[in-house]
Amino acid sequence: MKRKLTAAIGIAGMMFSIAACGGEGSGGSGGANADELTVWLTVDAQNNWPELVEAADAAVKKKHPGLTIKHEYYGWTDKNTKLDAVLATDKTPDVVEMGNSEMLGYMVKGAFAPLDTAKFENADAWLDGLKESVTYEGKTYGVPYYAGGRVAAWRTDIAEAAGVKETPKTYEELTAALDKIQAKQGDKFSAWYQPSRDWYAAMSFVFDAGGAIAEEEGGRWKAALSSPESLKGLQEYKNVLDTYMKGDKTKDEADRPIVYGQGNSGMIFAAAWEGATAATPENDKTGKLADNLESFVMPGPSGENMPVFLGGSDLAVPVKSDAQDVAAEWIAAFTGAEGQKGLIEKGNLPNNKTDLATLKDDPATAVPATAAESSWFVPMAPGWGQVEKSQILQTMLQDIGTGKKTVEAAAKEADAEIDKVINNK
């Protein structure tokens, strides 16, 4: 039953602060003859696919002889602090990489220029979760760059030692297998290492049960975590924590690959790159993760594949850029067919359904590609950024995981907190 774990490098959504910036953009109407372009990307591009950046540079420079392209690279934890600072000035970058759940707050504030989707390849086939992330009030303010899904990954050696020979295809098969693993390994071992505060995983249970974080009613958003469907999903999430998670119930998922590499847990449900990261020599304290990791599509209690948060990155053009046309050309070159091919070869999921469909036929990429077909995304409400910044979902989940509050009480309190801010611009 062994199948090599695919290292799909995806970026989950990050918390961000919102600066008051700019006015309405002109859709790339300026800077056709710009002599300099400044591109901000995260260190993922710098470390993992610099040749793709160089190829995009070359394509644009060929069209604009004499153009200088400057690149600055940032870590995810400090990127938006720096971006907020420069957006308050007239010295903004011309292209900036954003996590897909970071886009909304900036679009609401008018920080990015609207873009013409006709200028970008496969725009009509962008993945739903990414397309939604760059769309606000009927306009497009960014271009999807790449995607990262979530999969289950477990240790085949641990499963086989407990008598489990087959990869689970249903939730019932999964829990039956985990029960055997938990019984075999004992109470100090987490058959499923699931940090309580991981709201991406928890909300997958909510959406699988037919619930939602919030729903739009008459042009306004209202929290929905107290609905019967959402409560059903949250209760099942609590069952997982109570039954299989023997670690610290106050932790988030930030260091999950490191913890998993320590060898005290059997399974994770995480961004597709996390298992492979745990198996790197610096993280693998067992010395055998790389040979014993298997990824599979996470089954949901509903009987369908678990809907997953489709993380990823988008590229946007700040409205204050004086090189909007050339910036759009650079994005088109970077995210076009050749760029997507290169990103796929590096282990990423593409930004479009056309390329994604081809990955399902390859055993090396079938799992993350199939998992990405069933996805959910955050409410596209003007105050969603404030919900994330306040960590309302994380607080609710920690209260549920630690038993500080009942599922019903924690969800009701979270709904009240969400309703205070979710409609605020």
Side-chain angles (χ1 to χ4, degrees), residues 7-144:
I9 303 171
I11 306 299
M14 301 289 182
M15 296 180 295
F16 58 96
S17 59
I18 302 171
C21 19
E24 294 188 1
S26 58
S29 62
N33 298 314
D35 56 9
E36 183 175 284
L37 194 72
T38 300
V39 178
W40 280 20
L41 299 172
T42 67
V43 292
D44 302 295
Q46 183 182 33
N47 296 336
N48 300 312
W49 44 88
E51 70 276 16
L52 302 182
V53 177
E54 293 172 4
D57 288 354
V60 176
K61 286 180 178 180
K62 183 176 181 180
K63 186 175 179 180
H64 300 278
L67 177 69
T68 298
I69 302 179
K70 297 170 57 180
H71 294 281
E72 295 184 25
Y73 295 94
Y74 294 94
W76 285 99
T77 56
D78 59 0
K79 173 182 65 69
N80 285 356
T81 299
K82 295 180 182 296
L83 178 61
D84 291 346
V86 300
L87 287 177
T89 74
D90 292 325
K91 296 181 179 180
T92 64
D94 302 297
V95 177
V96 62
E97 177 180 352
M98 304 292 296
N100 61 347
S101 74
E102 296 175 340
M103 285 289 295
L104 180 58
Y106 289 87
M107 293 190 295
V108 169
K109 295 295 185 181
F112 298 142
L115 300 172
D116 181 0
T117 57
K119 296 180 178 180
F120 305 98
E121 290 185 75
N122 280 317
D124 58 346
W126 285 341
L127 297 179
D128 293 341
L130 296 185
K131 180 178 180 180
E132 191 173 358
S133 74
V134 298
T135 305
Y136 182 67
E137 294 186 339
K139 293 184 178 181
T140 300
Y141 292 93
V143 176

Side-chain angles (χ1 to χ4, degrees), residues 123-314:
D124 58 346
W126 285 341
L127 297 179
D128 293 341
L130 296 185
K131 180 178 180 180
E132 191 173 358
S133 74
V134 298
T135 305
Y136 182 67
E137 294 186 339
K139 293 184 178 181
T140 300
Y141 292 93
V143 176
Y145 169 12
Y146 66 91
R150 280 167 166 72
V151 300
W154 73 359
R155 291 177 54 182
T156 55
D157 56 336
I158 294 295
E160 289 170 356
V164 178
K165 305 297 183 183
E166 300 294 331
T167 306
K169 299 294 191 298
T170 67
Y171 193 72
E172 289 74 17
E173 291 176 358
L174 174 62
T175 54
L178 291 174
D179 287 343
K180 292 180 180 179
I181 291 171
Q182 193 65 64
K184 175 71 175 179
Q185 297 295 328
D187 290 341
K188 293 184 179 180
F189 185 90
S190 294
W192 177 349
Y193 180 73
Q194 180 53 60
S196 300
R197 291 171 65 88
D198 177 10
W199 65 277
Y200 300 109
M203 293 305 105
S204 287
F205 279 88
V206 167
F207 280 89
D208 180 73
I213 301 171
E215 296 178 335
E216 190 174 14
E217 300 176 1
R220 289 184 62 80
W221 289 84
K222 184 172 179 55
L225 292 170
S226 295
S227 72
E229 295 83 2
S230 295
L231 290 174
K232 181 180 179 181
L234 288 171
Q235 183 60 57
E236 184 56 35
Y237 184 68
K238 177 175 171 54
N239 293 343
V240 167
L241 298 176
D242 289 348
T243 307
Y244 307 118
M245 172 58 176
K246 305 305 178 179
D248 185 351
K249 299 290 181 66
T250 67
K251 284 183 67 64
D252 64 19
E253 71 280 13
D255 63 350
R256 179 164 44 205
I258 296 173
V259 175
Y260 191 50
Q262 293 171 352
N264 297 317
S265 48
M267 181 188 119
I268 55 175
F269 172 43
W273 56 268
E274 292 188 47
T277 299
T280 58
E282 60 267 29
N283 290 329
D284 180 12
K285 305 307 179 184
T286 73
K288 53 186 178 181
L289 279 180
D291 295 327
N292 289 293
L293 276 179
E294 179 186 29
S295 64
F296 55 95
V297 178
M298 180 69 184
S302 68
E304 303 293 331
N305 290 343
M306 184 77 87
V308 298
F309 176 79
L310 192 62
S313 279
D314 301 321

Side-chain angles (χ1 to χ4, degrees), residues 350-369:
N351 66 2
N352 66 89
K353 298 174 184 176
T354 304
D355 288 331
L356 185 69
T358 66
L359 301 186
K360 292 178 63 179
D361 298 326
D362 184 344
T365 54
V367 168

